[in-house]
Amino acid sequence: MNILYGESKALTKEDEHRKKAEELLKLDERKRPYNSMNEAIVPTEEEIGAWRMKNLRSDNPMAHFKS
């Protein structure tokens, strides 16, 4: 049960990270903070799994069947 909680927490963290990245990309480059897209944090196993679940690959022939 703890694993499922960690995975769902990692999925929400990945969603928040993507929203933050989209907001930073919308800013003008001159107004964006210096090194705003770089993080020096080592991801956990749950975060890596969440990223893999959220990351869609265009070269995957079965990607469009996923609902």
Side-chain angles (χ1 to χ4, degrees):
M1 180 131 177
N2 191 11
I3 295 172
L4 293 176
Y5 176 73
E7 288 177 1
S8 65
K9 187 176 177 182
L11 285 172
T12 55
K13 190 173 181 180
E14 178 66 23
D15 287 337
E16 291 172 3
H17 177 72
R18 287 180 185 250
K19 286 179 186 177
K20 181 181 174 186
E22 287 177 13
E23 289 174 7
L24 286 173
L25 288 174
K26 287 180 184 178
L27 285 175
D28 185 19
E29 289 184 9
R30 294 172 287 178
K31 294 182 181 179
R32 190 181 321 160
Y34 184 71
N35 287 337
S36 61
M37 299 300 286
N38 295 335
E39 291 184 18
I41 301 171
V42 178
T44 63
E45 291 294 323
E46 291 86 13
E47 292 171 346
I48 293 171
W51 179 82
R52 286 184 179 156
M53 289 174 66
K54 295 284 183 171
N55 189 25
L56 296 177
R57 296 187 57 178
S58 61
D59 60 344
N60 184 357
M62 297 298 287
H64 68 279
F65 288 113
K66 193 174 184 180
S67 55

